[in-house]
């Protein structure tokens, strides 16, 4: 069997991650009508940061080891990172959804 070229391997990995994310999804609104930070994280953040926050695709920060304050995390999720590696979610997620994701990220710390 021929070894796949690096470009094909990257495409194959992308397909695997895409298919893996097509499983049954958690509702983004919980029973109390508030945003579900875990579900929103899985839909918007997991592809780069991973389920445990330590995947690091494209130099994504390791959220399991992050020393940033909650306020710093809120700012970065809302406005993106200074390096522009992290895209801003302002206009994509509401303030409540961003807050819920930030709260979920705190649970990823080791």
């Amino acid at each position: 069997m021929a070894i796949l070229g690096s470009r094909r391997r990257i495409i194959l990995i992308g397909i695997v991650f895409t298919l893996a994310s097509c499983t049954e999804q958690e509702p983004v609104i919980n029973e109390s009508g508030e945003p579900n930070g875990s579900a929103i994280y899985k839909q918007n953040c997991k592809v780069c940061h991973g389920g445990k926050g330590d995947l690091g695709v494209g130099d994504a920060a390791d959220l399991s080891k992050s020393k940033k304050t909650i306020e710093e995390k809120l700012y970065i999720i809302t406005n993106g990172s200074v390096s522009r590696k992290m895209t801003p979610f302002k206009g994509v997620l509401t303030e409540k959804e961003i807050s819920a994701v930030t709260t979920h990220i705190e649970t990823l710390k080791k």
Side-chain angles (χ1 to χ4, degrees), residues 17-31:
F17 275 114
T18 300
L19 292 175
S21 68
C22 292
T23 59
E24 187 174 327
Q25 296 180 354
E26 291 179 64
V28 294
I29 303 294
N30 62 28
E31 293 174 2

Side-chain angles (χ1 to χ4, degrees), residues 48-61:
C48 293
H49 293 283
K52 296 179 182 178
D54 59 358
L55 184 59
V57 171
D59 292 330

Side-chain angles (χ1 to χ4, degrees), residues 2-76:
I3 297 176
L4 294 174
S6 64
R7 184 175 216 176
R8 287 187 178 166
R9 278 191 295 248
I10 291 170
I11 291 170
L12 181 60
I13 291 169
I15 290 170
V16 169
F17 275 114
T18 300
L19 292 175
S21 68
C22 292
T23 59
E24 187 174 327
Q25 296 180 354
E26 291 179 64
V28 294
I29 303 294
N30 62 28
E31 293 174 2
S32 64
E34 294 297 317
N36 179 342
S38 173
I40 296 166
Y41 176 89
K42 288 175 184 172
Q43 289 181 1
N44 295 281
C45 314
K46 184 178 176 181
V47 69
C48 293
H49 293 283
K52 296 179 182 178
D54 59 358
L55 184 59
V57 171
D59 292 330
D62 184 341
L63 302 176
S64 69
K65 296 179 181 177
S66 177
K67 303 291 185 204
K68 295 195 182 313
T69 65
I70 290 176
E71 292 77 17
E72 290 171 319
K73 291 174 187 175
L74 283 168
Y75 182 86
I76 292 170

Side-chain angles (χ1 to χ4, degrees), residues 80-95:
S81 63
V82 174
S83 67
R84 299 189 161 285
K85 291 180 182 177
M86 164 87 179
T87 186
F89 280 87
K90 185 177 188 173
V92 176
L93 299 175
T94 66
E95 286 183 23

